Amino acid sequence: MRRLLSPLSRFRASEHGGLSVEAVIIFPILLWAYGTMFVYWDAFKAQNLNLKAAYTVADYISREDGLLTPTDIEGLNDTYTYLIRNDDGNDLRVTVVRYIVDPADPTGDPLMELSWSDGAGGYEAYTDLTEIEDQLPLLTVGDELIFVETQMWWTPPLTLNLGFVGLDRQQFRNTVFTAPRFSPRVAWDGNEDGEDDELSS
């Protein structure tokens, strides 16, 4: 009986080939970790590019001292698409608001007024401030605010369909506020006829 158990005992105590077994066990975990880190890194990179591109577009508009037109907004959306290196249905909307005293009630509280709005891609222009009034910061009377919204689709670089990465195709949205730099207001020509469509403030 002792002779029969001795080889079994030696086999159980043997550590030959242990490294290969450990590698087989740990390899799927390493694969999962590297895949997950790569996907999340790509998502943060895309979101960062989206935010920087939105700031770039807003900064360009803030420096404009001429008339902006719908063609300009389409061109800015093309620029935005180039900056984020993603041509997968990107959207851009520019809205300009002013904080004014109501001429009909000069002694009343100041109010936000929609100067103009225009969108490119899948975004449409706002017709009033109902949708965004709770996002607007406080201004002083007479100030004008440029409100830029961007939206991009992001698709994970790894689609293993194993359910462990945790990120699906999704949209990244950003909003940027800025003020005109070299002019008190950003003029708008919605008809592209070379004339300012707004009343002078």
Side-chain angles (χ1 to χ4, degrees):
M1 187 70 176
R2 204 165 184 180
R3 287 186 177 182
L4 183 62
L5 293 177
S6 182
L8 293 176
S9 298
R10 286 197 305 271
F11 177 77
R12 184 183 63 182
S14 175
E15 295 182 355
H16 292 290
L19 185 62
S20 299
V21 173
E22 291 170 2
V24 170
I25 294 173
I26 202 68
F27 183 73
I29 298 175
L30 287 174
L31 183 64
W32 172 83
Y34 281 123
T36 301
M37 286 189 294
F38 181 70
V39 169
Y40 275 83
W41 178 85
D42 191 76
F44 280 113
K45 175 187 173 185
Q47 178 68 301
N48 187 40
L49 279 175
N50 185 22
L51 181 59
K52 288 181 177 179
Y55 272 107
T56 301
V57 170
D59 186 64
Y60 171 83
I61 296 171
S62 73
R63 297 170 186 271
E64 181 61 55
D65 57 2
L67 288 171
L68 283 177
T69 68
T71 300
D72 293 326
I73 303 303
E74 290 290 343
L76 287 172
N77 191 39
D78 292 339
T79 301
Y80 165 67
T81 297
Y82 172 78
L83 291 173
I84 62 175
R85 306 169 197 168
N86 182 346
D87 189 10
D88 188 14
N90 306 309
D91 308 316
L92 171 75
R93 178 163 48 213
V94 180
T95 304
V96 176
V97 300
R98 283 184 288 185
Y99 195 52
I100 63 167
V101 174
D102 187 355
D105 185 15
T107 60
D109 293 333
L111 51 84
M112 285 287 189
E113 177 189 60
L114 176 64
S115 295
W116 60 269
S117 179
D118 193 54
Y123 272 154
E124 295 184 0
Y126 290 122
T127 55
D128 56 56
L129 296 178
T130 305
E131 295 182 52
I132 60 172
E133 58 186 353
D134 59 338
Q135 302 179 52
L136 300 176
L138 293 176
L139 302 173
T140 56
V141 175
D143 281 353
E144 187 164 272
L145 180 72
I146 304 165
F147 180 38
V148 176
E149 299 169 87
T150 60
Q151 177 176 270
M152 64 170 284
W153 278 102
W154 173 79
T155 303
L158 295 178
T159 53
L160 302 177
N161 295 323
L162 297 178
F164 58 73
V165 173
L167 290 179
D168 298 320
R169 174 177 160 84
Q170 58 189 281
Q171 284 182 315
F172 292 147
R173 299 181 179 90
N174 275 306
T175 58
V176 176
F177 299 98
T178 189
R181 293 175 183 264
F182 306 127
S183 175
R185 52 191 292 272
V186 180
W188 175 247
D189 177 15
N191 298 317
E192 304 196 69
D193 54 10
E195 296 184 6
D196 190 346
D197 292 344
E198 299 177 82
L199 296 176
S200 299
S201 54

